[in-house]
């Protein structure tokens, strides 16, 4: 996960152990470990302290920029001003669960928030600007991408694709779908006869779904539109 990796990489660049970093910002070793494992996310004041100690911008830690810019004291005012806006106490971000493609999928009613949270491998931050519509009952989540079929569409193996179930993809846009019980990210084209074409970056992975199958939610379902992709290192194992 990008956020967790950036904490670890920034800490190592500053030649700090997890214990030393925890002491500098006033949290325990176990808290630092959970952040770097993606199992927990910091509160706004902890995020600010992290950025200051590691001398990077909050935007860099959150994955909003790849620029390794130094910490700016003006960020403190921005964070404090927006302190009550979200569960993260940051106005412009959502805390979202991240799961793997190997998570069992339900093609009927889809996977609700409770299910996704239960299966979450990690947690990350998603900028609200990536989301056009938000639904409390179907909130965004991230999925680790496994395979290279979408690399030509800038969704490489090991990246995290953020999916918003509240947004329906327009023809040609990428979406997370469930087909025959398997998760897949593809470009979605709904044809006039009701059939669906799923297009990959590599043509050999394209799929044609007949209309009668596409209309049966037990066989096929569009989970949501892919609204953002973050490139990150692939986990050592998905099992």
């Amino acid at each position: 996960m990008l956020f967790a990796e950036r904490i670890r990489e920034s800490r190592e660049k500053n030649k700090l152990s997890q214990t030393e970093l925890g002491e500098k910002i006033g949290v325990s070793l176990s808290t630092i470990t959970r952040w770097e494992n993606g199992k927990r996310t910091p509160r706004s004041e902890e995020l600010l302290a992290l950025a200051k100690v590691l001398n990077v911008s909050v935007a860099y830690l959150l994955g909003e920029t790849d620029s390794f810019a130094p910490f700016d004291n003006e960020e403190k005012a921005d964070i404090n001003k927006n302190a009550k806006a979200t569960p993260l106490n940051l106005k412009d971000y959502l805390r979202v669960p991240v799961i793997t493609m190997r998570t069992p999928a339900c093609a009927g009613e889809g996977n609700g928030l409770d299910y996704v949270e239960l299966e979450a491998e990690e947690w990350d931050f998603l900028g609200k600007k990536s989301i056009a519509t938000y639904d409390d009952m179907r909130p965004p989540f991230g999925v680790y991408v496994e395979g290279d079929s979408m690399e030509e569409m800038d969704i490489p193996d090991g990246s995290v694709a953020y999916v918003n179930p509240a947004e329906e993809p327009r023809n040609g846009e990428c979406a997370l779908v469930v087909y025959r019980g398997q998760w897949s990210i593809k470009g979605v084209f709904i044809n006039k006869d009701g059939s669906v074409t799923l297009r990959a970056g590599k043509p050999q992975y394209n799929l044609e779904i007949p209309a009668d199958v596409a209309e049966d939610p037990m066989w096929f379902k569009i989970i949501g539109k892919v609204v953002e992709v973050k490139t990150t290192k692939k986990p050592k194992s998905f099992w």
Side-chain angles (χ1 to χ4, degrees), residues 28-104:
S28 66
L29 169 62
S30 61
T31 295
I32 298 295
T33 301
R34 291 188 186 101
W35 289 347
E36 292 190 0
N37 287 340
K39 300 300 182 183
R40 295 288 187 274
T41 53
R43 298 188 299 270
S44 61
E45 63 271 19
E46 294 168 336
L47 182 62
L48 182 67
L50 270 173
K52 187 172 184 178
V53 169
L54 298 174
N55 195 30
V56 295
S57 67
V58 171
Y60 176 78
L61 288 178
L62 294 176
E64 289 297 304
T65 177
D66 291 328
S67 175
F68 199 75
F71 176 79
D72 185 344
N73 281 320
E74 291 183 1
E75 290 183 304
K76 182 175 182 178
D78 291 339
I79 289 176
N80 290 338
K81 178 178 66 177
N82 299 321
K84 296 181 179 179
T86 73
L88 283 172
N89 293 330
L90 293 170
K91 177 182 177 182
D92 298 325
Y93 299 92
L94 292 172
R95 181 174 181 264
V96 297
V98 180
I99 60 178
T100 74
M101 285 287 203
R102 295 192 185 277
T103 298

Side-chain angles (χ1 to χ4, degrees), residues 1-237:
M1 183 181 62
L2 190 60
F3 174 73
E5 288 183 358
R6 287 194 168 178
I7 293 178
R8 177 180 55 77
E9 291 172 354
S10 298
R11 173 180 61 78
E12 292 175 349
K13 284 183 178 180
N14 282 274
K15 301 186 185 304
L16 294 172
S17 67
Q18 289 182 329
T19 299
E20 290 170 332
L21 178 58
E23 289 174 350
K24 285 181 177 292
I25 63 176
V27 300
S28 66
L29 169 62
S30 61
T31 295
I32 298 295
T33 301
R34 291 188 186 101
W35 289 347
E36 292 190 0
N37 287 340
K39 300 300 182 183
R40 295 288 187 274
T41 53
R43 298 188 299 270
S44 61
E45 63 271 19
E46 294 168 336
L47 182 62
L48 182 67
L50 270 173
K52 187 172 184 178
V53 169
L54 298 174
N55 195 30
V56 295
S57 67
V58 171
Y60 176 78
L61 288 178
L62 294 176
E64 289 297 304
T65 177
D66 291 328
S67 175
F68 199 75
F71 176 79
D72 185 344
N73 281 320
E74 291 183 1
E75 290 183 304
K76 182 175 182 178
D78 291 339
I79 289 176
N80 290 338
K81 178 178 66 177
N82 299 321
K84 296 181 179 179
T86 73
L88 283 172
N89 293 330
L90 293 170
K91 177 182 177 182
D92 298 325
Y93 299 92
L94 292 172
R95 181 174 181 264
V96 297
V98 180
I99 60 178
T100 74
M101 285 287 203
R102 295 192 185 277
T103 298
C106 171
E109 294 301 320
N111 294 321
L113 175 62
D114 292 342
Y115 180 87
V116 172
E117 287 191 343
L118 180 65
E119 297 294 333
E121 294 285 319
E122 302 172 349
W123 292 82
D124 200 2
F125 299 101
L126 177 65
K128 285 186 176 180
K129 65 182 181 181
S130 299
I131 302 168
T133 303
Y134 182 82
D135 184 344
D136 285 332
M137 300 301 295
R138 299 181 298 159
F141 61 93
V143 290
Y144 270 113
V145 177
E146 183 180 7
D148 62 359
S149 69
M150 294 295 285
E151 284 190 351
E152 288 77 3
M153 304 302 293
D154 295 325
I155 307 179
D157 182 31
S159 62
V160 177
Y162 294 84
V163 178
N164 186 9
E167 293 185 53
E168 293 186 6
R170 292 176 294 183
N171 264 9
E173 290 185 324
C174 291
L176 176 67
V177 303
V178 176
Y179 179 49
R180 297 182 182 274
Q182 298 294 317
W183 297 83
S184 180
I185 291 177
K186 295 287 189 293
V188 177
F189 293 83
I190 300 176
N191 304 311
K192 291 182 179 180
D193 62 358
S195 64
V196 175
T197 300
L198 299 179
R199 290 187 185 173
K202 292 180 168 59
Q204 63 266 36
Y205 295 107
N206 291 350
L207 291 172
E208 297 291 340
I209 303 176
D212 59 335
V213 176
E215 293 170 358
D216 187 344
M218 294 303 297
W219 289 99
F220 176 75
K221 186 175 180 67
I222 298 173
I223 300 299
K225 176 182 172 181
V226 174
V227 295
E228 185 174 327
V229 177
K230 293 182 182 179
T231 302
T232 183
K233 295 179 181 177
K234 186 176 180 179
K236 292 181 180 178
S237 174

